[in-house]
Amino acid sequence: MEIKSIKEIKNVGTFKNFTNGGNLRFEKINFIYGLNTFGKTTLTDIFQSLKNNDSSIIQSRETIPKDQNINQSVSISVKNGQEEKETALEFTNNTWNNNPAENLEVFGTDFIHKNLFTGLTIERSNQENFTQFIMGESGTGIAKQIAKDKKELRSQKSVLKNITPAFVKD
């Protein structure tokens, strides 16, 4: 199964009434990035709900404030194998219809909890601590130099404590 597009998301997380109209399409590999609170986790939760056929994941992500006139719903266009025709997977009435979610992998918080940070939980309150990373040879070199400089600075501060006159310490 290959996700081709998200047609609509209503009353789920940051997506109060999103309709794509077919303009945004997914490729075989996609990178989704953006500022905090712009819907990245909501999308991974939708995909995780589809993968696990678990409606509670979406139900727990109601838009705040909830629009009482709009029920939660998601419509995703998928393609199976070599077929040309795309099929719609829909979340309505708190359930997924036609859910052939085989071979769907989601790299989200659930994946991290299960595979990367054994014994460590990552909650929304501390996720921002994991948003900085360094990529590339030059960036890594700079990061190593910064770490070396910080270590030297700590060393010099400890030496400074030992040579400070007693009257200054008091």
Side-chain angles (χ1 to χ4, degrees):
M1 180 186 80
E2 190 177 336
I3 297 174
K4 299 309 284 178
S5 71
I6 298 173
K7 294 182 178 198
E8 71 175 32
I9 304 172
K10 294 186 179 186
N11 238 354
V12 182
T14 58
F15 299 98
K16 186 171 189 166
N17 192 2
F18 169 80
T19 303
N20 178 9
N23 297 327
L24 300 172
R25 304 281 297 169
F26 289 101
E27 297 299 326
K28 188 169 184 164
I29 297 176
N30 300 277
F31 291 96
I32 299 171
Y33 61 93
L35 298 173
N36 289 339
T37 73
F38 275 58
K40 300 177 304 295
T41 303
T42 301
L43 285 176
T44 59
D45 285 349
I46 289 170
F47 296 149
Q48 194 67 50
S49 171
L50 177 63
K51 175 183 171 34
N52 298 347
N53 199 17
D54 182 355
S55 62
S56 68
I57 297 172
I58 291 178
Q59 290 171 317
S60 68
R61 298 295 309 264
E62 283 188 335
T63 299
I64 300 173
K66 179 182 177 184
D67 186 337
Q68 298 299 327
N69 299 320
I70 301 175
N71 291 326
Q72 282 188 307
S73 65
V74 177
S75 179
I76 299 173
S77 178
V78 299
K79 189 173 135 183
N80 290 312
Q82 300 300 320
E83 293 178 16
E84 289 295 318
K85 186 177 177 184
E86 294 180 15
T87 342
L89 297 181
E90 295 181 347
F91 179 86
T92 53
N93 299 320
N94 296 324
T95 188
W96 284 101
N97 73 329
N98 304 327
N99 186 352
E102 68 265 358
N103 302 322
L104 176 63
E105 294 299 330
V106 180
F107 182 79
T109 51
D110 188 57
F111 178 90
I112 291 170
H113 286 301
K114 290 179 180 174
N115 297 289
L116 298 178
F117 295 100
T118 305
L120 175 67
T121 59
I122 300 174
E123 303 300 327
R124 286 188 182 269
S125 61
N126 64 3
Q127 277 184 341
E128 55 269 6
N129 295 330
F130 292 99
T131 59
Q132 183 179 14
F133 67 94
I134 297 170
M135 199 163 126
E137 191 173 333
S138 64
T140 304
I142 292 168
K144 287 178 181 176
Q145 184 61 47
I146 290 170
K148 182 179 172 185
D149 292 346
K150 284 182 177 181
K151 184 178 179 181
E152 177 63 27
L153 184 59
R154 283 190 301 273
S155 173
Q156 290 177 5
K157 283 182 178 180
S158 68
V159 169
L160 185 60
K161 287 179 187 177
N162 297 332
I163 61 172
T164 306
F167 70 89
V168 174
K169 289 180 183 176
D170 294 337

